[in-house]
Amino acid sequence: MTNPIIKLEKICFAYPGSTAKVLDNLNLEVCDGDRIGMMAPNGSGKTTLFHTIMGLCRPDSGKIEIFGRPVSTEQEFQAVRSKIGMMFQDADDQLFCPTVVDDVAFGPLNLGLSTDEAREKAREVLSTLGIIDLENAITHRLSGGQKRLVALAAVLAMEPGVLLLDEPTAGLDNGVKEKLVKILNSLDISYVVICHEFNFLTSITDRVFSMENGKIILDDAALIHQHEHMHKMGNHPHKHL
Ligand SMILES: Nc1ncnc2c1ncn2[C@@H]1O[C@H](COP(=O)(O)OP(=O)(O)OP(=O)(O)O)[C@@H](O)[C@H]1O
Ligand SMILES: [Mg+2]
């Protein structure tokens, strides 16, 4: 049994000024080697869950452990934040430097690399993702899909211990999605991926969880699945009872 990288225990959270619990006694464990997908309706609390793991939303009650250590204060979250690679649902929340290479080098620079080393690291990741041609592009002029890839590059450049990807395929064309599947499958890193596309999720994860009433549904019976079936006359309109 491996130690959890992320452990949430009985987390309750309501946004300030609201009594509605977005997270309600939520439990989650992400262990070494886990590749977890999360697919749940809009507004069910998926992004809030990621923000809670990052310390951007502070739970009203419950315990969070990251890399085996309890975290609750800003100082404690700061110490682990750079090791969690979170790709935000909105790439504009993540990218703020004038050029792509600066945006991707920003994290490594903050981790103590020299300017040259950080830019070298940035170029290496941009090459891996096949977007080195965007190196000197003005970030805010990129297309939505290009911004998402740059945001992913910025996350990977920090060599995080775990990845949290919030709807990474939003706005990506099929070719880029396929590239993303290959990249994620080639990484030796645990991750949790929020996505509304079942086929994408099953091609990059081992389990797909859902969220309901502020909790994660782990129950095997509730695991989202897809099946194919065959029967005679299937081309005619019919119902399955
Ligand atoms: N900053 C905020 N202030 C107040 N309420 C918020 C805030 N952000 C989210 N909420 C509320 O919390 C609930 C969960 O939102 P959240 O963004 O976590 O859902 P989600 O599962 O990520 O949805 P989606 O699939 O649309 O991204 C929603 O009811 C939303 O209105
Ligand atoms: Mg969301």
Side-chain angles (χ1 to χ4, degrees):
M1 176 83 189
T2 53
N3 289 329
I5 301 172
I6 296 171
K7 185 174 179 185
L8 304 188
E9 218 178 325
K10 295 188 179 167
I11 297 294
C12 291
F13 174 79
Y15 280 97
S18 162
T19 53
K21 281 187 186 173
V22 179
L23 308 180
D24 188 2
N25 272 304
L26 179 143
N27 296 311
L28 172 70
E29 275 191 19
V30 181
C31 295
D32 209 14
D34 275 350
R35 302 175 343 135
I36 296 170
M38 190 142 326
M39 191 172 151
N42 292 131
S44 54
K46 305 178 297 296
T47 295
T48 306
L49 169 64
F50 275 11
H51 287 185
T52 305
I53 295 169
M54 296 297 281
L56 305 174
C57 291
R58 293 302 164 81
D60 302 311
S61 59
K63 281 198 280 188
I64 305 178
E65 276 180 32
I66 314 256
F67 301 113
R69 290 203 191 146
V71 279
S72 60
T73 63
E74 177 57 24
Q75 209 177 12
E76 286 162 346
F77 275 108
Q78 260 179 23
V80 293
R81 216 171 261 150
S82 61
K83 300 187 189 87
I84 311 172
M86 174 158 172
M87 184 174 160
F88 284 75
Q89 186 163 2
D90 185 347
D92 286 329
D93 288 342
Q94 194 138 14
L95 306 172
F96 41 80
C97 293
T99 67
V100 166
V101 71
D102 288 336
D103 252 321
V104 181
F106 181 83
L109 206 54
N110 263 359
L111 289 179
L113 268 65
S114 71
T115 310
D116 284 350
E117 287 167 341
R119 286 181 148 242
E120 191 48 42
K121 180 76 205 164
R123 287 195 191 98
E124 188 186 307
V125 181
L126 289 168
S127 297
T128 308
L129 295 187
I131 49 169
I132 188 68
D133 52 320
L134 298 179
E135 177 185 6
N136 295 313
I138 309 294
T139 311
H140 80 264
R141 288 196 201 139
L142 296 178
S143 75
Q146 287 171 328
K147 278 186 192 167
R148 295 202 77 76
L149 287 176
V150 173
L152 180 63
V155 163
L156 293 178
M158 297 185 71
E159 301 186 351
V162 61
L163 284 179
L164 304 177
L165 308 182
D166 197 346
E167 303 200 20
T169 60
L172 296 188
D173 64 49
N174 285 336
V176 179
K177 268 185 224 171
E178 276 167 28
K179 194 158 77 179
L180 198 52
V181 168
K182 285 202 187 107
I183 290 164
L184 289 172
N185 280 324
S186 71
L187 295 175
D188 185 20
I189 183 169
S190 305
Y191 50 73
V192 184
V193 180
I194 295 171
C195 183
H196 294 289
E197 295 181 65
F198 187 74
N199 287 342
F200 176 80
L201 272 190
T202 53
S203 61
I204 55 154
T205 61
D206 305 314
R207 290 179 292 169
V208 180
F209 297 160
S210 188
M211 265 185 88
E212 198 176 279
N213 301 324
K215 292 181 183 63
I216 288 175
I217 308 183
L218 303 170
D219 185 343
D220 279 349
L223 280 183
I224 299 166
H225 72 284
Q226 193 177 47
H227 68 265
E228 291 179 19
H229 67 271
M230 263 177 82
H231 57 70
K232 286 181 183 171
M233 312 296 279
N235 55 335
H236 291 280
H238 62 282
K239 280 185 180 168
H240 289 278
L241 301 171

